[in-house]
Amino acid sequence: MKYLGIDFGIKRVGLAVSDETGKMVFPLKTIHRSTRENLFLELLNIVEQKGIEAIVLGLPLRPDGEKSLTCRQAENFMHSLGRRTSLPIYTVNEAYTSLEAEEILSGKGIRGKKQKESLDQAAAMIILESFLECIPYERGLK
Protein backbone atom coordinates (compact mmCIF):
# COMPACT_ATOMS: atom_id res chain seq x y z
CA MET A 1 0.00 0.00 0.00
CA LYS A 2 1.33 3.43 -0.92
CA TYR A 3 1.06 6.16 1.73
CA LEU A 4 1.39 9.95 1.74
CA GLY A 5 2.82 11.46 4.93
CA ILE A 6 1.87 15.04 5.76
CA ASP A 7 3.58 17.46 8.13
CA PHE A 8 0.91 20.14 8.36
CA GLY A 9 1.90 23.75 8.90
CA ILE A 10 0.24 27.12 8.53
CA LYS A 11 2.86 28.38 6.06
CA ARG A 12 4.32 25.14 4.70
CA VAL A 13 3.15 21.55 4.34
CA GLY A 14 5.82 18.88 4.12
CA LEU A 15 5.14 15.70 2.17
CA ALA A 16 6.71 12.27 2.10
CA VAL A 17 5.66 9.14 0.23
CA SER A 18 6.18 5.44 0.80
CA ASP A 19 6.98 2.84 -1.80
CA GLU A 20 4.26 0.36 -2.84
CA THR A 21 5.27 -2.07 -0.10
CA GLY A 22 4.99 0.55 2.64
CA LYS A 23 8.51 -0.28 3.82
CA MET A 24 10.53 2.63 2.45
CA VAL A 25 9.84 6.35 2.81
CA PHE A 26 11.07 9.18 0.59
CA PRO A 27 10.82 12.98 0.82
CA LEU A 28 8.44 14.32 -1.79
CA LYS A 29 8.07 18.10 -1.59
CA THR A 30 7.15 21.10 0.50
CA ILE A 31 4.04 23.00 -0.46
CA HIS A 32 4.24 26.70 0.32
CA ARG A 33 0.65 27.58 1.10
CA SER A 34 -1.01 30.35 -0.85
CA THR A 35 -4.71 29.59 -0.45
CA ARG A 36 -6.49 26.75 1.28
CA GLU A 37 -8.13 25.67 -1.97
CA ASN A 38 -4.81 25.63 -3.87
CA LEU A 39 -3.34 23.45 -1.12
CA PHE A 40 -6.12 20.89 -1.48
CA LEU A 41 -5.92 20.96 -5.28
CA GLU A 42 -2.18 20.31 -5.18
CA LEU A 43 -2.55 17.53 -2.59
CA LEU A 44 -5.31 15.77 -4.54
CA ASN A 45 -3.25 16.05 -7.71
CA ILE A 46 -0.30 14.40 -5.93
CA VAL A 47 -2.57 11.67 -4.56
CA GLU A 48 -3.74 10.86 -8.08
CA GLN A 49 -0.33 11.12 -9.77
CA LYS A 50 1.49 9.01 -7.18
CA GLY A 51 -1.23 6.40 -6.75
CA ILE A 52 -1.62 7.12 -3.03
CA GLU A 53 -3.88 4.68 -1.19
CA ALA A 54 -3.87 6.20 2.31
CA ILE A 55 -2.81 9.42 4.03
CA VAL A 56 -0.94 9.81 7.33
CA LEU A 57 -1.18 13.20 9.03
CA GLY A 58 0.89 14.31 11.99
CA LEU A 59 -0.97 15.88 14.90
CA PRO A 60 1.23 17.95 17.24
CA LEU A 61 -0.05 16.91 20.66
CA ARG A 62 1.46 18.47 23.76
CA PRO A 63 3.54 16.25 26.07
CA ASP A 64 0.55 16.02 28.43
CA GLY A 65 -1.62 14.77 25.55
CA GLU A 66 -3.61 18.01 25.29
CA LYS A 67 -4.32 19.52 21.90
CA SER A 68 -2.46 22.66 20.93
CA LEU A 69 -3.86 25.33 18.63
CA THR A 70 -1.78 23.90 15.79
CA CYS A 71 -3.18 20.44 16.55
CA ARG A 72 -6.74 21.74 16.28
CA GLN A 73 -5.83 23.44 12.99
CA ALA A 74 -4.36 20.17 11.71
CA GLU A 75 -7.57 18.37 12.71
CA ASN A 76 -9.64 20.95 10.81
CA PHE A 77 -7.36 20.41 7.82
CA MET A 78 -7.86 16.64 8.15
CA HIS A 79 -11.65 16.98 8.18
CA SER A 80 -11.56 19.28 5.14
CA LEU A 81 -9.28 16.86 3.30
CA GLY A 82 -11.57 13.98 4.29
CA ARG A 83 -14.47 15.73 2.60
CA ARG A 84 -12.43 15.91 -0.61
CA THR A 85 -11.15 12.33 -0.79
CA SER A 86 -12.42 8.87 0.05
CA LEU A 87 -8.93 7.67 1.07
CA PRO A 88 -8.41 6.66 4.68
CA ILE A 89 -6.63 9.32 6.74
CA TYR A 90 -4.62 8.13 9.73
CA THR A 91 -3.05 10.33 12.38
CA VAL A 92 0.05 10.00 14.52
CA ASN A 93 1.43 12.18 17.28
CA GLU A 94 4.11 14.29 15.64
CA ALA A 95 5.32 16.25 18.63
CA TYR A 96 8.99 17.15 18.17
CA THR A 97 9.31 15.72 14.64
CA SER A 98 10.56 19.06 13.34
CA LEU A 99 13.23 19.11 16.04
CA GLU A 100 14.15 15.50 15.26
CA ALA A 101 14.27 16.31 11.54
CA GLU A 102 16.50 19.32 12.24
CA GLU A 103 18.92 17.13 14.22
CA ILE A 104 19.01 14.50 11.45
CA LEU A 105 19.66 17.10 8.75
CA SER A 106 22.33 18.82 10.87
CA GLY A 107 23.97 15.42 11.41
CA LYS A 108 24.17 15.04 7.65
CA GLY A 109 25.79 18.46 7.31
CA ILE A 110 22.67 20.13 5.94
CA ARG A 111 22.31 23.56 7.51
CA GLY A 112 20.93 27.02 6.89
CA LYS A 113 18.76 27.62 3.86
CA LYS A 114 19.17 24.05 2.56
CA GLN A 115 17.96 22.71 5.93
CA LYS A 116 14.93 25.01 5.97
CA GLU A 117 13.99 23.81 2.47
CA SER A 118 14.16 20.15 3.54
CA LEU A 119 12.88 20.37 7.12
CA ASP A 120 9.14 19.90 6.47
CA GLN A 121 9.76 16.96 4.12
CA ALA A 122 12.05 15.33 6.67
CA ALA A 123 9.39 15.80 9.37
CA ALA A 124 6.80 14.22 7.04
CA MET A 125 9.17 11.27 6.57
CA ILE A 126 9.45 10.82 10.34
CA ILE A 127 5.65 10.97 10.69
CA LEU A 128 5.17 8.37 7.97
CA GLU A 129 7.95 6.11 9.25
CA SER A 130 6.51 6.12 12.78
CA PHE A 131 3.11 5.12 11.40
CA LEU A 132 4.51 2.37 9.19
CA GLU A 133 6.52 0.93 12.08
CA CYS A 134 3.26 0.32 13.99
CA ILE A 135 1.45 -1.53 11.18
CA PRO A 136 3.14 -4.96 11.65
CA TYR A 137 2.33 -4.87 15.37
CA GLU A 138 -1.32 -4.11 14.71
CA ARG A 139 -1.52 -7.04 12.29
CA GLY A 140 0.38 -9.35 14.64
CA LEU A 141 3.27 -9.76 12.20
CA LYS A 142 6.17 -9.00 14.57
CSV table of all heavy atoms in Angstrom, one decimal, residues 30 112-121:
chain,number,residue,atom,x,y,z
A,30,THR,N,7.7,20.2,-0.5
A,30,THR,CA,7.1,21.1,0.5
A,30,THR,C,6.2,22.0,-0.3
A,30,THR,O,6.6,22.6,-1.3
A,30,THR,CB,8.2,21.9,1.2
A,30,THR,OG1,9.1,21.0,1.9
A,30,THR,CG2,7.6,22.9,2.2
A,112,GLY,N,21.3,25.8,7.5
A,112,GLY,CA,20.9,27.0,6.9
A,112,GLY,C,19.7,26.9,6.0
A,112,GLY,O,18.8,26.2,6.3
A,113,LYS,N,19.9,27.6,4.8
A,113,LYS,CA,18.8,27.6,3.9
A,113,LYS,C,18.4,26.2,3.3
A,113,LYS,O,17.2,25.9,3.2
A,113,LYS,CB,19.1,28.6,2.7
A,113,LYS,CG,18.0,28.8,1.8
A,113,LYS,CD,18.3,29.8,0.7
A,113,LYS,CE,17.2,30.0,-0.2
A,113,LYS,NZ,17.5,30.9,-1.4
A,114,LYS,N,19.4,25.4,3.1
A,114,LYS,CA,19.2,24.1,2.6
A,114,LYS,C,18.4,23.3,3.6
A,114,LYS,O,17.5,22.5,3.2
A,114,LYS,CB,20.5,23.3,2.3
A,114,LYS,CG,21.1,23.7,1.0
A,114,LYS,CD,20.8,22.6,0.0
A,114,LYS,CE,21.6,22.8,-1.2
A,114,LYS,NZ,20.9,22.4,-2.4
A,115,GLN,N,18.7,23.4,4.9
A,115,GLN,CA,18.0,22.7,5.9
A,115,GLN,C,16.5,23.2,6.0
A,115,GLN,O,15.6,22.4,6.1
A,115,GLN,CB,18.6,22.9,7.3
A,115,GLN,CG,18.0,22.1,8.4
A,115,GLN,CD,18.6,22.3,9.7
A,115,GLN,OE1,18.3,23.2,10.4
A,115,GLN,NE2,19.6,21.4,10.0
A,116,LYS,N,16.3,24.5,5.9
A,116,LYS,CA,14.9,25.0,6.0
A,116,LYS,C,14.1,24.5,4.8
A,116,LYS,O,12.9,24.1,5.0
A,116,LYS,CB,15.0,26.5,5.9
A,116,LYS,CG,13.6,27.2,6.2
A,116,LYS,CD,13.7,28.6,6.4
A,116,LYS,CE,12.3,29.2,6.7
A,116,LYS,NZ,12.3,30.6,7.0
A,117,GLU,N,14.7,24.3,3.6
A,117,GLU,CA,14.0,23.8,2.5
A,117,GLU,C,13.6,22.3,2.6
A,117,GLU,O,12.6,21.9,2.1
A,117,GLU,CB,14.9,24.0,1.2
A,117,GLU,CG,15.1,25.4,0.8
A,117,GLU,CD,16.1,25.5,-0.3
A,117,GLU,OE1,16.6,24.5,-0.8
A,117,GLU,OE2,16.4,26.7,-0.7
A,118,SER,N,14.4,21.6,3.4
A,118,SER,CA,14.2,20.2,3.5
A,118,SER,C,13.5,19.8,4.8
A,118,SER,O,13.0,18.6,5.0
A,118,SER,CB,15.5,19.4,3.5
A,118,SER,OG,16.2,19.7,2.3
A,119,LEU,N,13.4,20.7,5.8
A,119,LEU,CA,12.9,20.4,7.1
A,119,LEU,C,11.5,19.8,7.1
A,119,LEU,O,11.2,18.8,7.8
A,119,LEU,CB,12.9,21.6,8.0
A,119,LEU,CG,12.7,21.4,9.5
A,119,LEU,CD1,13.7,20.5,10.1
A,119,LEU,CD2,12.7,22.8,10.2
A,120,ASP,N,10.5,20.4,6.4
A,120,ASP,CA,9.1,19.9,6.5
A,120,ASP,C,9.0,18.5,5.8
A,120,ASP,O,8.2,17.7,6.3
A,120,ASP,CB,8.2,20.9,5.8
A,120,ASP,CG,8.3,22.3,6.5
A,120,ASP,OD1,7.9,22.3,7.7
A,120,ASP,OD2,8.7,23.2,5.8
A,121,GLN,N,9.8,18.3,4.8
A,121,GLN,CA,9.8,17.0,4.1
A,121,GLN,C,10.3,15.9,5.0
A,121,GLN,O,9.8,14.8,5.1
A,121,GLN,CB,10.5,17.0,2.8
A,121,GLN,CG,9.9,17.9,1.8
A,121,GLN,CD,10.9,18.1,0.6
A,121,GLN,OE1,11.4,17.1,0.1
A,121,GLN,NE2,11.0,19.3,0.2
